[in-house]
Amino acid sequence: MLDTAPEARFDYITKKVKKYFDVSYVLVTIIDKERQWFKSCQGIELSETSRDISFCGHAINYNNIFYVPNALADERFFDNPLVLNEPYVRFYAGVPLIIFGEYAIGTLCLIDDQPRVLSDADLDMLQEFANMVIFEIEQREVERAKHP
């Protein structure tokens, strides 16, 4: 999926997520060894960032939602270039996209320039949106396998 064109199926979901959570940015990222690439993004014009400064590079290593309510107050991120400079990340929540039950390939993430706290219901809804993205990725891969 790296470096492929945007697809309406992913953009539809990220638009809904952005509206539901009212955050500055929503991304579907695909992560490789050195970078995170944006398959779908709302609110930002970038297409990728280096993995070594990405929040998603951390999130992909978890089985559940990776959640940072205030990046300035988090010792892992307070001096991160994405926190100190544009886009001034203050809040991050990312769900690893684990396809076919075993391959963590990226994240669905929420980013905002203000600290935020999510309720349990919000966290459940974020997971549901991530499940939709996972379903679409798996469908895409099955379709590709049938019609190479």
Side-chain angles (χ1 to χ4, degrees):
M1 286 184 60
L2 279 170
D3 300 317
T4 59
E7 295 179 53
R9 63 172 119 193
F10 300 110
D11 292 342
Y12 175 80
I13 296 169
T14 55
K15 286 176 185 174
K16 293 287 184 194
V17 172
K18 188 173 187 306
K19 184 175 181 178
Y20 181 87
F21 287 100
D22 191 27
V23 292
S24 300
Y25 316 108
V26 175
L27 308 169
V28 170
T29 67
I30 306 299
I31 299 175
D32 70 10
K33 288 183 180 181
E34 298 178 9
R35 66 186 173 134
Q36 68 173 356
W37 177 78
F38 306 152
K39 179 62 178 168
S40 179
C41 56
Q42 302 299 321
I44 197 165
E45 296 299 319
L46 295 174
S47 61
E48 65 182 71
T49 64
S50 174
R51 182 177 178 164
D52 64 339
I53 63 168
S54 75
F55 286 68
C56 297
H58 291 266
I60 198 170
N61 295 317
Y62 288 80
N63 288 328
N64 297 311
I65 297 171
F66 181 74
Y67 174 41
V68 180
N70 185 350
L72 274 177
D74 190 301
E75 65 183 31
R76 297 168 294 185
F77 300 108
F78 73 94
D79 61 350
N80 183 298
L82 298 172
V83 174
L84 298 176
N85 305 299
E86 284 194 39
Y88 301 105
V89 175
R90 295 298 178 265
F91 163 80
Y92 174 90
V95 183
L97 300 174
I98 302 171
I99 61 169
F100 301 112
E102 60 183 311
Y103 304 106
I105 64 163
T107 67
L108 170 66
C109 67
L110 311 175
I111 301 170
D112 207 2
D113 58 5
Q114 299 295 317
R116 298 175 68 114
V117 176
L118 296 179
S119 68
D120 288 343
D122 289 335
L123 293 169
D124 289 344
M125 194 67 207
L126 180 56
Q127 182 64 60
E128 288 301 315
F129 280 122
N131 292 344
M132 291 178 202
V133 174
I134 291 166
F135 175 81
E136 292 299 335
I137 292 170
E138 290 175 344
Q139 288 299 111
R140 181 185 188 280
E141 293 305 304
V142 167
E143 291 165 10
R144 265 189 59 229
K146 287 181 180 176
H147 310 296

